[in-house]
Amino acid sequence: MPAATKNNAICARWEATLARSGDRPAILGPDGAVLRTFSAVEREANDCAARLEKFEPRSVLAIQIGNSPSWPALLLAAFRCELIPLPLGRHIEKTERDAALTTCGAMGVVETGENGFQFVHRDGPRPNWNGKPPDFLKLTSGTTSAPRAICFHADQLAADCDNICETMGIAGEDVNFGVIPFSHSYGFSNLLTPLLCRGIALVASEDRMPRAILLGLAQSRATVFPGMPVFFEKLSDLENAPALPALRLCISAGAPLSRRIAGRFSERFDLKVHTFYGSSECGGIGYDASEALDYEEGFAGAPMRNVQVTPLDALDASRIEVRSDAVGECYFPEDDPKTLGARRFIPGDLIRMSPRGLHLVGRVSDIINIAGRKLNPAEVEARLTGLPGVKQAVVFGIPSPLRHEEAIACVVGDVSATAVLRFARTVLSPWQVPKAVWIAKEIPVNERGKFSRRELARLYLESH
């Protein structure tokens, strides 16, 4: 066994998985066809490693191949060649991709071409890891739009995988339905590492049309569906939906899950949607394991197994400290040890703690400064969704020459702006009432299912 394999926790766990699973199906298509057995993943990993040998060890290798069934093999091959994988979303814009490649000093890119994968060399300065190179990088962004990476060792990735599987009760006979992006922290930790470390089979799908997702769930007989709120909303709207007798566990992450969406899905399919809360920097934080259908707006579940959550102050809504073996090492290229490192991470979320668990009440960066008064947009959104006809509300700030910022509400639903403002004046303090209401057909989200208040503010200012 190569030294890189012995020293890499995921490679070592894969050896045990391979010995145990052999020719058992590992990766399925949405139609249920077997695309790879575990033995076939190993053979493909060896083929990929032969193509990666031309890259110098400890180089950063960007991987941009969508939800390809080759992802597990390529990841193993990169680890065995002592390369540092950097997953990139398939639909990332070119300017964002170029910035990420430059920031992380990527020396190569694996991308899809007309005849399979292309292994592309890049020129440029290599990163200075100060003698402590990571095993893996996750792309993220801070309070600005500039990209930065989170450095991980393989044992931290394996720890997150174990926390997820043990907390959610995902075991060897389960089949994960993989339509969320493998390149995102959520997809990586819920789909790829469970396959490699624990032998949990995976359905690889890239078709995000609601009907295709439902058909894939039915035909593949997947038992676990990690999704996002937008998926559960769209699936609930479909008519003549097929039966899903094999599906036993639905998980929602990536964005807050509303009571309305969760309730509609449960009523339609007789399945609980379990909220999962986490962060790229530390993996899973909270999970709602209960089967009760008493959905609560903003509930993020109880702390996961082997994860310690502590409020940082005694206020009703506080930032928290997360401690676990899954927390990443540091940010790159600029470290922030006050926020991340030494098994400790402080998310930017505001959390209310209760005997039941964690409750998301907003983000520090989302706070809107209105003439010196701090407005939490989540509070306004919760009130506005109380108006019949409002399906979704997102509140964001725009510059104001007199009051520093003004609040704008983007609303989706069968209502008028006048009706929303009239209702807002009855349930909010005068200074909390949005300056304007923008009625939209839908809230734009990225491939991870998240919306950006910054992007909504830009779109609003361009169109008004």
Side-chain angles (χ1 to χ4, degrees):
M1 185 184 300
T5 300
K6 292 181 179 179
N7 297 330
N8 184 296
I10 291 179
C11 289
R13 294 279 293 271
W14 166 252
E15 296 297 331
T17 295
L18 180 62
R20 184 174 62 249
S21 300
D23 291 328
R24 188 166 67 86
I27 305 174
L28 310 175
D31 61 355
V34 178
L35 303 180
R36 308 279 194 285
T37 63
F38 285 89
S39 296
V41 171
E42 172 67 9
R43 291 192 294 272
E44 186 179 15
N46 291 332
D47 292 341
C48 289
R51 300 184 66 183
L52 292 177
E53 287 179 350
K54 59 185 178 182
F55 294 101
E56 187 176 342
R58 311 320 298 176
S59 296
V60 174
L61 178 73
I63 302 177
Q64 189 178 24
I65 59 172
N67 278 17
S68 168
S70 294
W71 238 112
L74 187 55
L75 181 65
L76 285 171
F79 283 151
R80 288 172 177 174
C81 293
E82 298 186 74
L83 301 176
I84 304 170
L86 170 68
L88 296 179
R90 166 164 284 188
H91 302 294
I92 188 173
E93 294 184 0
K94 184 180 184 304
T95 54
E96 186 180 355
R97 171 185 140 129
D98 291 345
L101 294 175
T102 300
T103 297
C104 298
M107 306 303 291
V109 182
V110 183
E111 56 191 10
T112 52
E114 293 183 1
N115 300 310
F117 296 142
Q118 298 180 148
F119 292 75
V120 182
H121 274 279
R122 293 184 75 254
D123 295 323
R126 292 171 59 89
N128 179 8
W129 302 115
N130 295 315
K132 298 180 179 179
D135 294 322
F136 190 83
L137 296 176
K138 291 183 185 179
L139 194 64
T140 186
S141 60
T143 55
T144 69
S145 58
R148 61 177 174 174
I150 311 160
C151 299
F152 285 88
H153 293 309
D155 59 339
Q156 294 161 335
L157 302 174
D160 188 33
C161 167
D162 291 339
N163 293 348
I164 287 169
C165 292
E166 292 170 13
T167 302
M168 299 180 183
I170 301 173
E173 297 304 314
D174 277 313
V175 177
N176 268 318
F177 191 83
V179 69
I180 56 176
F182 295 173
S183 58
H184 180 226
S185 180
Y186 178 24
F188 184 86
S189 296
N190 274 69
L191 300 168
L192 296 183
T193 53
L195 184 147
L196 297 172
C197 295
R198 300 176 76 100
I200 297 169
L202 163 67
V203 177
S205 175
E206 290 200 280
D207 194 337
R208 291 187 163 198
M209 294 299 292
R211 180 69 62 183
I213 293 175
L214 271 182
L215 290 176
L217 286 166
Q219 294 176 358
S220 68
R221 298 191 61 80
T223 61
V224 180
F225 176 34
M228 300 179 293
V230 64
F231 288 172
F232 296 108
E233 180 176 30
K234 299 297 184 183
L235 296 182
S236 300
D237 291 339
L238 288 178
E239 298 180 357
N240 303 316
L244 303 173
L247 186 61
R248 69 169 189 85
L249 177 61
C250 294
I251 305 161
S252 180
L257 177 69
S258 72
R259 290 179 58 188
R260 178 185 65 83
I261 293 174
R264 287 189 62 217
F265 183 87
S266 294
E267 183 178 354
R268 183 76 187 278
F269 295 97
D270 195 28
L271 285 164
K272 166 76 178 272
V273 183
H274 296 263
T275 297
F276 175 38
Y277 165 54
S279 176
S280 297
E281 285 86 346
C282 64
I285 300 172
Y287 178 69
D288 177 13
S290 167
E291 292 297 333
L293 301 181
D294 54 344
Y295 295 111
E296 181 181 352
E297 209 75 49
F299 183 58
M304 300 181 66
R305 292 189 185 184
N306 305 313
V307 176
Q308 179 183 346
V309 177
T310 306
L312 291 182
D313 56 53
L315 299 176
D316 182 60
S318 167
R319 296 186 75 175
I320 58 173
E321 177 188 83
V322 179
R323 287 186 176 272
S324 84
D325 289 338
V327 175
E329 284 295 298
C330 61
Y331 290 113
F332 179 83
E334 294 184 6
D335 197 4
D336 182 7
K338 292 183 178 179
T339 300
L340 175 66
R343 300 182 64 253
R344 168 182 177 271
F345 173 59
I346 300 176
D349 298 309
L350 293 172
I351 301 291
R352 178 172 59 84
M353 304 285 289
S354 78
R356 187 183 181 196
L358 314 173
H359 305 257
L360 282 167
V361 297
R363 287 186 61 82
V364 174
S365 61
D366 291 338
I367 298 298
I368 302 171
N369 186 345
I370 301 177
R373 306 181 77 170
K374 303 300 189 290
L375 177 68
N376 184 345
E379 296 179 10
V380 179
E381 292 160 0
R383 296 297 182 89
L384 296 184
T385 52
L387 174 65
V390 173
K391 293 183 177 180
Q392 186 178 10
V394 176
V395 175
F396 54 88
I398 61 170
S400 167
L402 297 178
R403 303 210 299 170
H404 189 68
E405 288 184 292
E406 296 283 7
I408 306 295
C410 183
V411 172
V412 176
D414 186 19
V415 291
S416 67
T418 301
V420 174
L421 282 173
R422 185 184 304 120
F423 177 76
R425 294 187 184 104
T426 67
V427 296
L428 295 168
S429 298
W431 73 275
Q432 295 177 310
V433 174
K435 179 178 177 61
V437 172
W438 175 22
I439 303 296
K441 291 183 178 180
E442 62 180 6
I443 305 294
V445 297
N446 62 19
E447 66 173 4
R448 304 174 183 179
K450 292 186 177 182
F451 62 80
S452 166
R453 297 183 200 275
R454 185 187 296 114
E455 179 66 11
L456 282 174
R458 184 187 69 79
L459 293 173
Y460 178 83
L461 292 171
E462 287 181 352
S463 59
H464 291 75

